[in-house]
Amino acid sequence: MTEVRETLLPGVGVRHEFTNEDGRDMGVIVHHDGRREFLMYSAKDPDSCAQLFTLSETDTATLAEILGVSVVNEVVSEVRQDLGGLALEWIELDDDHCAVGSSIGDGAYRSITGASIIAVIRNSRPIPEPGPDFQLFAGDIAVIVGTHDEVNDLRLALCS
Amino acid sequence: MLLAAGSAETALAFLEIGLLVGGLGILSALASRLGVTAVPLYLIAGLAFGEGGIKELDVSEGFVSLTGEIGVLLLLFTLGLEYTDHELREGLRTGTRQATLDMVLSAGTGLAFGLLLGWSPLASVLLAGVTWVSSSGVISKVLDDLGRLGNRETPSILNLLVMEDLAMAIYLPVVAALIVGGTVTETISGVAVALGVVAVILAAALRYGTALSDRLVRTSDESLLLTVFGLVLFVAGTAQTLQVSGAIGAFLVGLALSGKTEERTAVLVSPLRDLFAATFFVFFSFQIDPTDLLSMLGWAALLAVITSITKVATGWYAAARAGVARNGRVRAGTMLIARGEFSIVIAALGADLADGPELGALSAGYVLLTAVLGPLATRFSAPIDSGVQRALSPFRQRMRFSTS
């Protein structure tokens, strides 16, 4: 695949750009609020660009579905998907999370919050259905499932 | 205070505030029609209704003054909201050299200018701040309006703005401590306390920011608005009690919030900020005598020209470092010319100094000029650039002849 270059725009969001097969540079700005701005760089002055169009977050997802590609979103480390009332969320654990260093059973997460940790991704390797003795470490990605409120509660339980 | 007074006075206050705020609404609409920021128009409105203007406000001045102070807090708070700590760290990593050049050229010019006018060193340091900080409010709007957010010079511009805003987190408390003053030892300990308080609030913001944001993420809009507004005022008040600028307290609260809470807060607070900040600009120019402004206008224009050149040089350098060609460098440089809300916030700090009235009048004139002409300069940067090149070409040729 073509190389995609990424630039931080402080206060605005992130700009992704690549050179297309015609040799022209194209780009997308992902705004902090989720808007996507599509750009085409000028052939005459390659430092300047024309705005092609702007899409909302939802419209971008629709467009991505039509094109059959996944939506890359580097801005958020936590992703949540809603499946008819059920929420599925990825939480990356770092040193600040109090859950780090203790086992899933220690936290009694399911009995307290109702949501469960259904898998843990460690070093890009998925570990499905971790048991109560499973130790959580910084860098782990916990995949949790439950209702909206339960997932929120579990997220707080992992963090605070 | 004024509500306790007779109902006739309350009625008069309602009338005054109503007319004032309504008038600002019309000015703001006019500004967006003209495609300029509303700040200069607010300043002109303040001139018209303040000291020596066409009509002075009587009863509502106390109210407008306090609302204006809150406006400063909210301006700084929303500025803090805009940046994530990742962006701040990236800015610090990549942008220190450009930011130093920016400070030396633009703040240095302001400092020298103040001293040449015969002002006290402190008033000159404030003028340095006025000429230093480009208006992130004006610039981000102009970038968006002109469709330049995707341009390759834009990250350089935004990084400079981040660094300037960060530099303010040190500049404002230090200047606030200098204004309180006293003996040399008192001043030094004041500055040390100020920096210590900033460090403590910053550490608390980074440590507990995420946890706080998570707590607030599920509250209702109403509760979020009230909690955050209260928090901003409380932290600012605490900072102010310790003689540290309250505005910086508000800025750091803004930095502390993150994620969904940050987005929601930005949406909820921005109408409040617009209202309070508008009254701040009006109140600032209330205190300026229009005749003072006119007598300082020549100096303001001279200062605007010199510091526009320094900003163009800074932008040129920053964009060149990012590998941007001539056109983009000129766009970046001219984009940075606009000064705005921050310059006024800084000038307002010096209101009680001996040189305060002159500083206020000069700064108002200066912001009026740069906030209106800066965006125009960057819109027409290409024709201006070729005009300058054409004007300079005879000299260049002569130089070439003389050297050959």
Side-chain angles (χ1 to χ4, degrees):
Chain A
M1 211 175 83
T2 325
E3 176 207 12
V4 178
R5 300 176 293 272
E6 197 184 294
T7 316
L8 213 55
L9 300 176
V12 178
V14 182
R15 187 184 74 201
H16 307 270
E17 43 168 326
F18 66 96
T19 311
N20 68 14
E21 289 190 355
D22 297 336
R24 291 278 292 276
D25 285 349
M26 300 181 71
V28 179
I29 298 177
V30 181
H31 286 259
H32 281 321
D33 61 9
R35 260 181 315 136
R36 262 58 160 193
E37 206 175 296
F38 292 79
L39 316 163
M40 176 67 102
Y41 286 85
S42 149
K44 226 170 62 190
D45 176 2
D47 296 325
S48 74
C49 63
Q51 267 172 295
L52 299 178
F53 54 91
T54 303
L55 292 183
S56 72
E57 198 166 7
T58 328
D59 293 341
T60 311
T62 313
L63 182 66
E65 209 162 296
I66 296 170
L67 299 175
V69 295
S70 61
V71 189
V72 192
N73 194 342
E74 283 84 352
V75 191
V76 285
S77 61
E78 292 162 5
V79 188
R80 175 178 288 189
Q81 287 190 337
D82 285 308
L83 316 155
L86 202 63
L88 186 64
E89 192 169 345
W90 282 256
I91 296 174
E92 193 170 349
L93 300 176
D94 52 43
D95 288 320
D96 289 341
H97 287 89
C98 65
V100 167
S102 60
S103 73
I104 292 180
D106 286 345
Y109 297 120
R110 196 172 53 193
S111 41
I112 293 175
T113 66
S116 8
I117 301 178
I118 54 162
V120 169
I121 299 168
R122 179 172 292 168
N123 301 327
S124 322
R125 208 168 48 83
I127 304 164
E129 295 181 59
D133 298 328
F134 189 88
Q135 289 266 337
L136 293 169
F137 291 113
D140 284 354
I141 296 170
V143 182
I144 62 180
V145 76
T147 67
H148 242 276
D149 286 351
E150 288 168 356
V151 164
N152 276 331
D153 285 342
L154 178 51
R155 193 149 66 89
L156 288 180
L158 290 171
C159 293
S160 52
Chain B
M1 2 156 244
L2 54 94
L3 287 180
S7 64
E9 199 159 289
T10 313
L12 185 56
F14 285 166
L15 285 174
E16 283 186 357
I17 297 167
L19 284 175
L20 179 69
V21 175
L24 295 183
I26 295 171
L27 288 179
S28 160
L30 182 68
S32 59
R33 177 76 58 85
L34 296 173
V36 296
T37 156
V39 174
L41 298 185
Y42 294 160
L43 291 177
I44 293 174
L47 283 173
F49 293 100
E51 243 175 77
I54 41 175
K55 163 93 180 76
E56 286 185 38
L57 291 192
D58 307 316
V59 288
S60 45
E61 188 161 335
F63 172 79
V64 174
S65 149
L66 185 63
T67 2
E69 295 284 338
I70 297 176
V72 175
L73 299 185
L74 294 182
L75 271 175
L76 273 283
F77 170 66
T78 46
L79 194 64
L81 275 184
E82 295 224 333
Y83 303 124
T84 63
D85 49 348
H86 177 51
E87 290 169 349
L88 295 181
R89 259 178 268 136
E90 275 297 304
L92 281 173
R93 202 172 59 78
T94 57
T96 340
R97 205 181 286 191
Q98 296 88 310
T100 312
L101 180 75
D102 182 34
M103 179 179 78
V104 170
L105 288 182
S106 293
T109 307
L111 181 70
F113 204 86
L115 292 173
L116 286 176
L117 285 176
W119 290 359
S120 68
L122 187 52
S124 307
V125 167
L126 287 171
L127 187 60
V130 170
T131 56
W132 181 3
V133 194
S134 296
S135 164
S136 37
V138 171
I139 292 172
S140 53
K141 188 170 179 303
V142 173
L143 280 172
D144 207 3
D145 288 350
L146 297 183
R148 288 195 191 165
L149 278 176
N151 282 14
R152 291 203 212 286
E153 75 274 9
T154 298
S156 313
I157 299 172
L158 294 173
N159 269 328
L160 265 174
L161 296 179
V162 172
M163 295 298 285
E164 283 179 358
D165 295 341
L166 267 183
M168 285 303 109
I170 296 173
Y171 174 88
L172 283 181
V174 168
V175 164
L178 290 176
I179 288 174
V180 174
T183 64
V184 177
T185 27
E186 277 169 358
T187 311
I188 291 173
S189 67
V191 169
V193 168
L195 291 177
V197 170
V198 170
V200 168
I201 301 180
L202 184 62
L206 293 178
R207 180 71 187 79
Y208 300 108
T210 335
L212 174 72
S213 305
D214 284 348
R215 286 280 141 70
L216 292 173
V217 79
R218 291 167 60 196
T219 50
S220 67
D221 281 355
E222 188 181 358
S223 154
L224 179 64
L225 178 66
L226 295 176
T227 317
V228 168
F229 188 71
L231 188 68
V232 169
L233 260 60
F234 182 80
V235 173
T238 311
Q240 199 91 282
T241 313
L242 299 166
Q243 310 277 25
V244 180
S245 123
I248 282 312
F251 177 70
L252 295 175
V253 174
L255 279 187
L257 296 181
S258 58
K260 204 84 197 146
T261 308
E262 176 182 5
E263 281 169 34
R264 281 178 59 206
T265 310
V267 173
L268 288 171
V269 170
S270 74
L272 269 188
R273 179 212 45 206
D274 292 345
L275 173 63
F276 284 98
T279 56
F280 164 70
F281 296 122
V282 172
F283 184 71
F284 173 79
S285 58
F286 269 176
Q287 299 155 309
I288 294 169
D289 196 321
T291 50
D292 278 354
L293 179 73
L294 286 178
S295 65
M296 294 305 282
L297 205 55
W299 290 119
L302 179 62
L303 187 60
V305 170
I306 301 175
T307 55
S308 296
I309 296 171
T310 61
K311 280 288 178 187
V312 170
T314 310
W316 177 287
Y317 173 73
R321 268 179 72 90
V324 171
R326 183 187 180 99
N327 286 339
R329 293 178 201 174
V330 176
R331 281 195 299 267
T334 45
M335 185 64 80
L336 290 168
I337 291 174
R339 315 296 204 283
E341 60 285 349
F342 238 133
S343 300
I344 300 296
V345 169
I346 294 169
L349 288 176
D352 294 331
L353 298 178
D355 301 315
E358 285 198 333
L359 173 68
L362 177 62
S363 307
Y366 178 76
V367 169
L368 283 177
L369 291 171
T370 54
V372 173
L373 297 181
L376 285 177
T378 200
R379 183 168 304 191
F380 300 108
S381 66
I384 291 175
D385 182 35
S386 53
V388 169
Q389 271 179 292
R390 225 173 303 136
L392 287 179
S393 60
F395 294 103
R396 280 217 193 118
Q397 270 168 0
R398 218 170 301 157
M399 296 255 292
R400 217 170 292 151
F401 283 128
S402 61
T403 48
S404 61

